[in-house]
């Protein structure tokens, strides 16, 4: 029964694959356009390229001019020093807001004081030059990370660390045990404090981009691969096993 459900899940996702976001051009292919809410002339720049929600229930939307906060009734634009579209937003477990754009990465430590901003690019050795646009946010018990095709930036106790891709970084996945990331030319890797490290059997996915990673209560995951169409079971310390 479990295998049948997994197969059905995989077939549904594979069938929807043409509609999945693809990293091409200046902006993500998948965007959100809240048409039923009239923002007026004060907020002229939807569609939204990123969405996140705080513990307090506040919604943050990234558009072509920065970040808008919505409390369920009112909108306000955060006074961020950003001149580019916001492609990724993340709210950390400690309540910080992470804002990413093209070669731009900002951290708002306190959402009640959005004018106090940390420019992560100023603290990372070499800056963010050549990173491209940041696409995904993920968090573990030890750190949070944001990745672009060319650069992976992670928080640490005394600041931030950055890891440049030898070729390119692909999808990033948040799991119970940590953060996984696809590394072009290497395979599926775990993000450690020292950077991405190949998981057991992770090189199986060198030429098999993962569309979706589904996690189960026991901590195992099923990776859905579009080309070739297949499902793979991932268990800690074991090589991935094809199940369909």
């Amino acid at each position: 029964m479990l295998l049948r459900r997994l197969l059905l899940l995989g077939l549904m996702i594979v069938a929807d694959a043409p509609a999945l976001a693809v990293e091409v051009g200046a902006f993500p292919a998948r965007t959100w356009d809240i048409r039923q809410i009239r923002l007026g002339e004060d907020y002229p720049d939807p569609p939204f390229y990123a969405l996140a929600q705080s513990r307090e229930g506040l919604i943050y939307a990234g558009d072509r001019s920065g970040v808008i906060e919505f409390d369920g009734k009112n909108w306000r634009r955060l006074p961020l020093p950003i001149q580019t579209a916001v492609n990724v937003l993340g709210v950390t477990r400690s309540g910080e807001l992470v804002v990413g754009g093209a070669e731009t990465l900002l951290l708002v430590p306190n959402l009640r004081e959005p004018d106090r901003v940390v420019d992560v690019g100023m603290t990372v050795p070499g800056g963010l030059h050549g990173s491209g646009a940041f696409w995904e946010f993920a968090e573990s018990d030890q750190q949070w990370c944001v990745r672009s095709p060319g650069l992976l930036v992670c928080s640490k106790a005394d600041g931030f660390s950055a890891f440049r891709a030898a070729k390119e970084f692909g999808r990033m996945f948040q799991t119970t045990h940590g953060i996984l990331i696809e590394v072009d030319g290497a395979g599926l890797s775990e993000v450690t404090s020292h950077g991405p490290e190949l998981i057991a059997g992770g090189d199986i996915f060198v030429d098999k981009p993962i569309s979706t990673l589904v996690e189960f209560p026991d901590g195992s995951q099923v990776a859905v691969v579009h080309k070739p169409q297949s499902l793979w079971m991932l268990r800690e310390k074991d090589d991935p096993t094809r199940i369909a």
Side-chain angles (χ1 to χ4, degrees):
M1 181 62 70
L2 175 60
L3 180 58
R4 184 177 299 175
R5 290 180 179 177
L6 293 175
L7 180 59
L8 178 61
L9 171 66
L11 292 175
M12 290 173 62
I13 294 175
V14 167
D16 290 339
L20 294 177
V22 180
E23 295 185 9
V24 294
F27 307 122
R30 172 170 290 180
T31 61
W32 294 268
D33 191 358
I34 304 181
R35 300 179 185 276
Q36 69 272 28
I37 298 177
R38 303 298 179 184
L39 301 185
E41 295 301 322
D42 293 336
Y43 308 103
D45 278 351
F48 299 133
Y49 299 109
L51 294 174
Q53 186 173 22
S54 72
R55 287 184 174 182
E56 293 75 21
L58 300 175
I59 296 175
Y60 294 90
D63 62 10
R64 289 172 289 196
S65 297
V67 178
I68 301 174
E69 179 188 79
F70 182 53
D71 64 5
K73 182 178 180 181
N74 299 309
W75 295 84
R76 69 162 177 160
R77 185 170 292 283
L78 300 188
L80 302 178
I82 190 169
Q83 303 295 324
T84 184
V86 170
N87 298 328
V88 63
L89 290 172
V91 177
T92 69
R93 298 173 188 178
S94 59
E96 301 167 317
L97 179 67
V98 180
V99 181
E103 296 191 353
T104 303
L105 188 57
L106 306 176
L107 177 68
V108 183
N110 187 347
L111 288 171
R112 296 181 180 178
E113 300 178 354
D115 55 330
R116 296 180 56 193
V117 177
V118 176
D119 187 339
V120 177
M122 298 295 291
T123 69
V124 171
L128 304 180
H129 181 68
S131 64
F134 288 93
W135 290 81
E136 289 178 315
F137 167 90
E139 186 175 19
S140 67
D141 291 338
Q142 291 75 37
Q143 61 185 343
W144 58 259
C145 298
V146 180
R147 70 96 191 167
S148 74
L151 188 68
L152 174 68
V153 179
C154 296
S155 64
K156 57 181 183 179
D158 57 349
F160 303 93
S161 55
F163 310 97
R164 295 192 178 273
K167 293 185 177 180
E168 189 171 284
F169 292 123
R171 292 291 310 278
M172 188 165 64
F173 306 97
Q174 179 173 311
T175 73
T176 298
H177 298 297
I179 301 172
L180 298 177
I181 189 170
E182 292 181 312
V183 180
D184 189 18
L188 188 62
S189 303
E190 180 182 6
V191 180
T192 72
S193 59
H194 305 292
E197 296 183 0
L198 195 67
I199 66 169
D203 55 342
I204 289 174
F205 298 103
V206 166
D207 57 350
K208 300 178 180 65
I210 298 174
S211 301
T212 303
L213 195 69
V214 181
E215 186 166 34
F216 294 93
D218 65 357
S220 63
Q221 299 104 27
V222 169
V224 180
V225 173
H226 177 50
K227 292 181 180 180
Q229 297 180 1
S230 54
L231 298 177
W232 296 78
M233 178 67 74
L234 279 69
R235 291 188 173 89
E236 192 174 10
K237 299 180 180 179
D238 290 336
D239 286 357
T241 304
R242 183 170 180 170
I243 57 175

